Amino acid sequence: MNKPITIAIDGYSSCGKSTLAKALANRLNFAFVDTGAMYRAVCLYFLRSKLDWKKLSTSEIEAVLDKIAITFEYNSLKNSSDTFLNGENVEEEIRGKEVSQSVSELSQLKAIRSRMVGLQQKVENRSGLIMDGRDIGTKVFPNAELKLFMTADPAIRVQRRFNELKRSGKQVSLEEVSENLKSRDYNDTHREENPLRKAVDSIELDNSFLNQEEQLHLVLRILTEEGLI
Ligand code: DC
């Protein structure tokens, strides 16, 4: 039997990485890990505990991380996984405004990144694995069989994120969403530790004018042409 493959999907916030990753995982019966959800869950823990990460030493941050267990559980109603923080389903809360505003700052910390990367590299790949984030193709799985780098026009990304938040009943303005995306893009690309970069051997996928079905077919075609499925 062929070795199960790994697909790394990186890109800016709200480019539809997780949506594509989920659709691919469902189609191919691969496992999917949303690494953004891991950073979000860590961020939620720090916020709830009222811990100011800027004032903590590396060993203090590591001690906090020792108290955090992040797990994923399949939710058949949504046909995707929910994120659990120390056994509590926090899927809704980690997508909220507070976490979204702080997560990219917190995820710049070296101690947090090394712990998350270590956990991600340990995920078992039994029958194919898809992981999405910012540093998957460059740091977590530099040898992934397929690396995608997703982009989209910034105005389209803002509108998509705004619609998504509206649909889930969150009260935000278009300006707030736009500012949040701008600052996350800046932090994600300018941090010292594993910044968001397009891996040289990745395939760029600009989905500004592609719907979900078109993106899925495009990637399935690439996988078939590369002999990976
Ligand atoms: O994909 P997302 O928007 O849910 O990710 C939330 C934040 O986590 C994002 O602003 C940057 C950070 N992140 C990261 O630094 N590295 C990853 N592999 C995934 C996410």
Side-chain angles (χ1 to χ4, degrees):
M1 207 180 88
N2 289 337
K3 179 176 153 279
I5 65 163
T6 299
I7 302 177
I9 306 184
D10 289 303
Y12 297 97
S13 300
S14 300
C15 267
K17 299 183 296 294
S18 301
T19 308
L20 174 64
K22 274 180 213 162
L24 271 173
N26 285 338
R27 177 63 70 92
L28 300 170
N29 233 347
F30 282 14
F32 161 57
V33 177
D34 172 355
T35 63
M38 297 172 71
Y39 288 94
R40 285 172 181 272
V42 170
C43 182
L44 179 62
Y45 187 92
F46 274 81
L47 291 175
R48 278 181 176 177
S49 318
K50 308 226 180 306
L51 290 166
D52 183 352
W53 50 87
K54 292 188 281 301
K55 294 195 182 130
L56 299 181
S57 66
T58 300
S59 58
E60 284 168 335
I61 289 179
E62 279 164 354
V64 176
L65 290 170
D66 288 342
K67 295 187 197 146
I68 300 178
I70 302 164
T71 47
F72 295 101
E73 262 179 48
Y74 183 69
N75 178 335
S76 58
L77 295 175
K78 300 193 317 196
N79 198 21
S80 62
S81 291
D82 285 340
T83 311
F84 285 70
L85 170 62
N86 293 338
E88 176 192 349
N89 188 337
V90 291
E91 185 58 34
E92 268 286 304
E93 203 173 346
I94 59 169
R95 312 284 165 193
K97 205 150 93 177
E98 286 74 22
V99 171
S100 297
Q101 269 163 359
S102 304
V103 62
S104 67
E105 188 191 291
L106 172 123
S107 56
Q108 294 180 39
L109 298 176
K110 191 171 176 188
I112 292 183
R113 298 211 71 78
S114 352
R115 182 71 66 99
M116 293 302 111
V117 169
L119 290 173
Q120 290 151 13
Q121 289 173 331
K122 279 200 209 110
V123 173
E124 231 187 310
N125 184 353
R126 288 201 209 114
S127 57
L129 176 65
I130 305 179
M131 208 173 263
D132 87 315
R134 305 293 188 288
D135 55 352
I136 312 303
T138 51
K139 176 77 184 177
V140 182
F141 292 122
N143 297 323
E145 281 76 7
L146 179 69
K147 298 181 188 177
L148 298 173
F149 188 83
M150 293 182 67
T151 62
D153 180 89
I156 294 177
R157 288 163 53 210
V158 170
Q159 191 64 52
R160 282 181 186 158
R161 180 83 186 125
F162 177 74
N163 295 344
E164 193 182 292
L165 289 168
K166 271 265 157 110
R167 267 199 306 275
S168 60
K170 306 233 160 61
Q171 294 295 324
V172 277
S173 68
L174 209 56
E175 282 68 38
E176 277 179 293
V177 175
S178 172
E179 281 314 307
N180 179 247
L181 283 196
K182 262 192 229 150
S183 77
R184 286 210 280 152
D185 284 355
Y186 184 87
N187 286 339
D188 293 350
T189 49
H190 285 79
R191 65 173 173 241
E192 254 173 59
E193 204 65 26
N194 321 341
L196 169 64
R197 293 269 183 277
K198 180 181 179 303
V200 280
D201 51 350
S202 65
I203 296 176
E204 185 162 329
L205 198 167
D206 182 334
N207 67 8
S208 303
F209 304 105
L210 294 177
N211 66 30
Q212 291 175 17
E213 200 57 19
E214 288 166 334
Q215 293 172 58
L216 176 64
H217 282 124
L218 183 66
V219 180
L220 289 172
R221 206 182 67 213
I222 295 170
L223 286 164
T224 309
E225 282 171 4
E226 303 264 327
L228 293 170
I229 55 169

